[in-house]
Amino acid sequence: QVQLVESGGGLVQPGESLRLSCVASGLHFAVFRTYVASWYRQAPGKERELVALSSTLGSKLHYADSVKDRFTISRDNAQRTVFLQMNSLKPEDTAVYFCNVKALHGQPNYWGQGTQVTVSS
């Protein structure tokens, strides 16, 4: 059974940094490296939105305009782990952050349980 476990969330002040991690268990690394890996977030009362995406092997990266130049997605395929480095955090970055990995054609599609990020002074 495949499970995604996120960690690294917390409460920080504006301008500080956090690094989120997402480990995929139950997936062979040779399969994981062929999957698209993404981070989404959902703030209270808002829809879930794509924050950052890493193509298979990490060759192509995509970021939401709101996080460009502040967030960086990366992956360690051998460790079946996806990271999200978040710098210069703002109060509007406050949300539950979810990890997602999926095959190129969309299925299978796996989600983590989410980790809370709160940016507040």
Side-chain angles (χ1 to χ4, degrees), residues 36-50:
V36 176
S38 306
W39 287 95
Y40 287 75
R41 68 185 180 187
Q42 188 166 18
K46 295 189 176 180
E47 295 200 351
R48 191 172 297 189
E49 63 172 350
L50 176 65

Side-chain angles (χ1 to χ4, degrees), residues 25 40 53 56 66 74 117:
S25 62
Y40 287 75
L53 179 150
T56 60
S66 58
S74 60
V117 171

Side-chain angles (χ1 to χ4, degrees), residues 39-118:
W39 287 95
Y40 287 75
R41 68 185 180 187
Q42 188 166 18
K46 295 189 176 180
E47 295 200 351
R48 191 172 297 189
E49 63 172 350
L50 176 65
V51 175
L53 179 150
S54 170
S55 68
T56 60
L57 306 179
S59 57
K60 292 184 181 179
L61 305 177
H62 169 80
Y63 297 96
D65 288 343
S66 58
V67 307
K68 275 180 184 174
D69 301 323
R70 299 190 298 122
F71 290 12
T72 303
I73 187 171
S74 60
R75 59 194 295 168
D76 182 338
N77 289 322
Q79 298 299 322
R80 298 160 295 160
T81 302
V82 188
F83 303 98
L84 185 67
Q85 177 66 43
M86 306 185 294
N87 298 329
S88 303
L89 282 160
K90 304 176 180 180
E92 51 263 43
D93 295 318
T94 295
V96 178
Y97 285 70
F98 297 89
C99 176
N100 173 267
V101 294
K102 63 183 178 184
L104 272 178
H105 50 78
Q107 293 294 337
N109 186 354
Y110 303 108
W111 289 93
Q113 82 288 351
T115 184
Q116 176 70 47
V117 171
T118 303

